[in-house]
């Protein structure tokens, strides 16, 4: 069985998840679910980046011990993620002892190789970014990403990593392979590599919260250096039995703002530790809220609140249908309601309603294998049986919007099939065979649509399966949608609440802040 190891960025838990961080997790989840559907043995890692200064600051602000604060935030994150049906296999926390051990082991390996050395660090530091800033990064003396925060001037002797030693090897990989995607991010990374690198400081003397440097307990390891290591400690580095099975990772899914860490520093750390590089880093775009930047302290949309009201699937569907994953995009409630009422309620929800209601009314609620073909069957069957091949390349390239466009094309065709075969007229005219054929084929179309849409709307796929009487579909396999006839004759429908009750007004943004 092919293995597929996928990760997301681990989140700073100094605030609850927002719609932007949720977007990343949803995209990675859709890909993980797609690979499971294809039969891969999938390992999907997510988690929280707890050893950061801003987490310690937040805990202090609340008068809490940082670990107790992180425990509470883990609960919040898990709750939000479960409302969005995220199917991660493991949720790592970088305060775990096993993670500390792994981070220290990487530090030791680089030290042993001679690529970690003592040096004098003098720099502006933005705790918001947890990153050093040079004069050219500043706007009016502040970090461009965190204009409301004061920068810290840090001047101390600490430990440095010889990043410069790895530049040429990393440049070769980035230039000659598809290690970094999409192309726009690859070019940015290449630009940075062309400009030249500096060695980086990887410890802090004045901070107490973090992973202690081996044999130097007065220093903690720089948070990014420790955070990146989660991708290997999450699968058992250094001596866990499954490490060799999962590593190298198939894809790290991250946001476009953290490519330098993942595409330059992380590969250098791995090369220095004699470990294989991940196969790919995919950097998605940013979500804006009605055109404005989302921030943990300012403009925000709480995905857990939105999922409580509308369900996780509509949010998942909207984000992945509206915004191309490699690009930036905008969330507005107007657009959400438009797609919800149009594509989810009127098109998919209505297709299911029509099939289930008409089966109850005309067939005693039981699907029968079609006694005789109808002239419209061939076109419907051809469309649906070709759907898996049309969506596959899109799912595998994180082009969820294209995969969904193909699937909704099939939803519309299935609705048209009902319009054209007119089972209600056939019923009135006593042509029972025609009624049975039409509803059976529409149910088959629904089955295939549900399975292929399940990476994006898993709970809906299950509900469709339940209502057409064949049970949950989010764990089905791809082979099942390459053949017609998966709904057994004699299957009884089980009508339940409509999938997507229509929304009659645009929600107030404040309710979800
Ligand atoms: O960067 N739209 O954590 P984080 C889309 N702990 N994605 C967004 C976004 C938005 N508006 N805002 C943030 C960190 N993200 C580090 C990562 S990994 C070893 C350490 C993305 O909580 C962001 O790009 O600030 C990142 O990939 C993820 O959310 C977590 O952001």
């Amino acid at each position: 069985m092919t293995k597929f190891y996928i990760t997301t960025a681990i989140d700073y838990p100094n605030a609850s998840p927002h719609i932007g961080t949720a977007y990343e997790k949803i995209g990675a989840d859709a890909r993980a679910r797609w690979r499971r559907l294809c039969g891969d043995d999938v390992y999907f890692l997510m988690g929280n980046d707890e050893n950061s200064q801003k987490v310690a600051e937040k805990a202090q602000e609340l008068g809490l011990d940082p670990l107790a604060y992180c425990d509470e935030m883990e609960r919040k994150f898990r709750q939000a993620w479960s409302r969005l049906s995220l199917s991660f296999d493991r949720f790592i926390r970088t305060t775990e002892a096993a993670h500390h051990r792994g981070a220290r082991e990487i530090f030791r390996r680089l030290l042993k190789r001679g690529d970690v050395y003592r040096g004098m660090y003098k720099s502006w530091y933005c705790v918001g970014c947890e990153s050093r800033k040079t004069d050219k990064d500043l706007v009016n003396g502040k970090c461009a990403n965190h204009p409301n925060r004061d920068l810290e001037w840090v001047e101390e002797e600490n430990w440095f990593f010889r990043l410069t030693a790895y530049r040429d090897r990393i440049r070769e990989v980035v230039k000659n392979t598809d290690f970094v995607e999409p192309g726009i991010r690859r070019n940015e990374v290449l630009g940075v590599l062309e400009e030249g690198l500096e060695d980086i400081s990887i410890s802090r003397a004045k901070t107490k919260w973090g992973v202690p440097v081996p044999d130097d307990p007065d220093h903690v390891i720089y948070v990014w250096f420790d955070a990146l290591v989660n991708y290997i400690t999450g699968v058992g580095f250094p001596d866990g039995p499954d490490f060799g099975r999962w590593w190298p990772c198939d894809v790290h899914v991250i946001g476009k703002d953290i490519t330098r860490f993942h595409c330059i520093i992380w590969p250098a750390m791995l090369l220095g530790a004699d470990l294989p590089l991940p196969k790919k880093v995919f950097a998605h775009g940013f979500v804006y809220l009605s055109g404005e930047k989302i921030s943990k302290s300012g403009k925000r949309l709480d995905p857990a609140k939105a999922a409580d009201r509308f369900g996780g699937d509509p949010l998942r569907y909207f984000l992945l249908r509206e915004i191309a994953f490699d690009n930036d995009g905008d969330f507005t409630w107007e657009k959400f309601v438009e797609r919800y009422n149009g594509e989810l309620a009127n098109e998919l929800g209505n297709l299911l309603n029509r099939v289930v209601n008409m089966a109850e009314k005309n067939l005693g609620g039981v699907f029968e294998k079609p006694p005789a073909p109808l002239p419209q069957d061939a076109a419907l069957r051809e469309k649906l049986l070709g759907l898996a091949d049309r969506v596959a390349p899109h799912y595998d390239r994180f082009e969820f919007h294209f995969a969904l466009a193909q699937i909704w094309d099939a939803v519309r065709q299935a609705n048209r099939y009902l319009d054209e075969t007119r089972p209600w007229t056939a019923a009135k005219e006593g042509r029972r065979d025609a009624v049975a054929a039409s509803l059976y084929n529409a149910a088959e179309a629904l089955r295939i649509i549900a399975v292929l849409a399940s990476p994006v709307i898993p709970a809906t796929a299950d509900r469709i399966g339940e209502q057409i009487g064949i049970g949950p579909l989010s764990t089905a396999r791809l082979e099942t949608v390459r053949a017609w006839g998966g709904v057994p004759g004699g299957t009884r429908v089980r009508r339940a609440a409509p999938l997507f009750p229509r929304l009659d007004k645009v929600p107030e943004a404040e309710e979800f802040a």
Side-chain angles (χ1 to χ4, degrees):
M1 201 193 252
T2 315
K3 71 92 185 165
F4 188 77
Y5 175 30
I6 179 167
T7 67
T8 64
I10 49 173
D11 296 356
Y12 292 126
N14 60 317
S16 308
H18 61 64
I19 193 84
T21 46
Y23 174 64
E24 168 175 290
K25 310 318 182 223
I26 291 169
D29 185 65
R31 182 71 187 282
R33 287 178 179 273
W34 166 251
R35 291 314 314 169
R36 285 193 201 107
L37 179 55
C38 293
D40 287 2
D41 189 10
V42 172
Y43 197 81
F44 176 21
L45 178 74
M46 289 179 29
N48 278 353
D49 189 355
E50 301 184 329
N51 300 319
S52 101
Q53 239 171 283
K54 57 182 167 181
V55 169
E57 266 181 14
K58 184 75 194 181
Q60 196 180 18
E61 216 177 282
L62 299 172
L64 290 172
D65 163 69
L67 193 57
Y69 170 75
C70 290
D71 290 346
E72 175 57 21
M73 291 309 281
E74 181 200 12
R75 206 183 52 74
K76 276 202 180 146
F77 272 77
R78 280 184 181 271
Q79 209 171 44
W81 298 152
S82 104
R83 294 203 168 120
L84 295 173
S85 308
L86 300 182
S87 61
F88 51 85
D89 296 288
R90 166 141 155 68
F91 191 87
I92 191 171
R93 295 180 50 183
T94 54
T95 46
E96 290 169 17
H99 173 77
H100 274 220
R101 196 161 73 87
R104 289 154 63 87
E105 172 63 18
I106 291 291
F107 192 101
R108 263 194 215 100
R109 287 196 189 181
L110 300 180
L111 184 70
K112 196 163 155 208
R113 177 180 278 254
D115 283 339
V116 166
Y117 62 91
R118 302 245 348 161
M120 195 59 203
Y121 180 66
K122 283 189 195 178
S123 178
W124 289 111
Y125 188 79
C126 173
V127 177
C129 299
E130 294 288 7
S131 174
R132 142 182 160 78
K133 299 283 155 184
T134 59
D135 286 340
K136 70 174 170 29
D137 300 324
L138 307 185
V139 177
N140 302 325
K142 301 272 175 104
C143 163
N145 298 326
H146 300 94
N148 299 326
R149 264 183 180 273
D150 285 335
L151 291 167
E152 280 180 14
W153 176 253
V154 184
E155 192 167 333
E156 63 186 27
E157 193 187 335
N158 61 34
W159 293 94
F160 279 72
F161 171 44
R162 208 180 308 281
L163 184 63
T164 47
Y166 297 90
R167 171 184 172 255
D168 292 352
R169 283 168 75 189
I170 294 169
R171 192 158 133 259
E172 286 307 295
V173 175
V174 175
K175 202 166 160 190
N176 300 327
T177 70
D178 55 8
F179 175 60
V180 185
E181 283 190 349
I184 177 176
R185 304 297 157 221
R186 179 162 162 259
N187 290 339
E188 277 172 15
V189 171
L190 269 179
V192 174
L193 287 161
E194 298 295 345
E195 236 177 62
L197 303 175
E198 287 176 3
D199 290 349
I200 56 163
S201 147
I202 55 164
S203 79
R204 290 291 173 272
K206 295 196 183 81
T207 313
K208 292 282 164 281
W209 177 243
V211 182
V213 168
D215 306 316
D216 187 1
D218 291 339
H219 283 238
V220 297
I221 297 179
Y222 167 47
V223 62
W224 265 103
F225 189 93
D226 119 52
L228 290 161
V229 177
N230 95 87
Y231 300 131
I232 53 177
T233 53
V235 286
F237 176 81
D239 44 19
D242 294 331
F243 178 60
R245 162 159 179 61
W246 296 112
W247 192 260
C249 180
D250 291 83
V251 60
H252 291 315
V253 179
I254 57 156
K256 65 174 186 176
D257 57 329
I258 54 176
T259 50
R260 289 179 191 205
F261 295 101
H262 285 81
C263 307
I264 299 176
I265 299 177
W266 179 226
M269 290 165 64
L270 289 164
L271 288 172
D274 287 323
L275 290 168
L277 299 189
K279 292 184 198 154
K280 189 178 297 300
V281 176
F282 190 95
H284 59 76
F286 260 41
V287 180
Y288 294 85
L289 265 184
S290 303
E292 283 183 51
K293 209 174 150 197
I294 301 172
S295 77
K296 288 192 174 168
S297 45
K299 185 104 180 158
R300 46 179 288 124
L301 190 172
D302 182 339
K305 282 189 195 161
D308 272 350
R309 170 79 80 81
F310 307 105
D313 277 8
L315 211 57
R316 292 173 62 109
Y317 176 81
F318 176 77
L319 287 168
L320 297 188
R321 178 66 187 88
E322 175 71 20
I323 307 172
F325 202 57
D326 61 350
N327 229 312
D328 294 340
D330 203 25
F331 184 101
T332 71
W333 283 110
E334 286 77 12
K335 285 195 274 188
F336 174 83
V337 169
E338 195 181 313
R339 285 201 187 270
Y340 178 103
N341 281 340
E343 290 151 33
L344 295 177
N346 286 353
E347 293 182 334
L348 181 58
N350 198 29
L351 175 62
L352 178 69
N353 261 343
R354 296 171 87 185
V355 171
V356 171
N357 288 343
M358 284 193 279
E360 279 189 334
K361 195 161 159 207
N362 304 303
L363 301 172
V366 178
F367 293 118
E368 294 161 22
K369 286 266 182 182
L374 300 171
Q376 294 85 351
D377 292 356
L380 180 73
R381 202 177 308 150
E382 195 187 328
K383 179 91 167 195
L384 269 299
L385 290 180
L387 192 57
D389 286 340
R390 288 197 301 280
V391 301
H394 295 310
Y395 272 129
D396 276 321
R397 292 196 295 254
F398 291 99
E399 294 167 350
F400 306 114
H401 61 308
F402 287 148
L404 291 169
Q406 288 290 343
I407 296 168
W408 254 255
D409 196 33
V411 172
R412 283 172 205 129
Q413 177 143 349
N415 270 315
R416 265 197 316 273
Y417 172 86
L418 287 175
D419 297 344
E420 286 166 13
T421 54
R422 304 177 67 82
W424 53 92
T425 310
K428 262 191 225 142
E429 292 168 356
R431 290 183 289 118
R432 187 184 162 91
D433 282 4
V435 180
S438 168
L439 295 181
Y440 181 87
N441 289 321
E444 268 295 286
L446 266 165
R447 177 182 69 82
I448 295 173
I449 286 163
V451 171
L452 291 173
S454 68
V456 178
I457 46 172
T460 304
D462 286 342
R463 291 170 70 194
I464 292 174
E466 300 286 356
Q467 291 208 35
I468 60 173
I470 54 174
L473 288 173
S474 67
T475 48
R477 285 283 185 268
L478 199 59
E479 313 84 78
T480 62
V481 298
R482 293 192 190 280
W484 201 254
V487 176
T491 300
R492 181 171 288 279
V493 301
R494 282 200 273 158
R495 184 143 57 115
L499 294 179
F500 306 106
R502 276 186 66 86
L503 303 176
D504 49 19
K505 67 177 182 31
V506 175
E508 298 292 331
E510 292 69 36
E511 266 182 70
F512 302 95

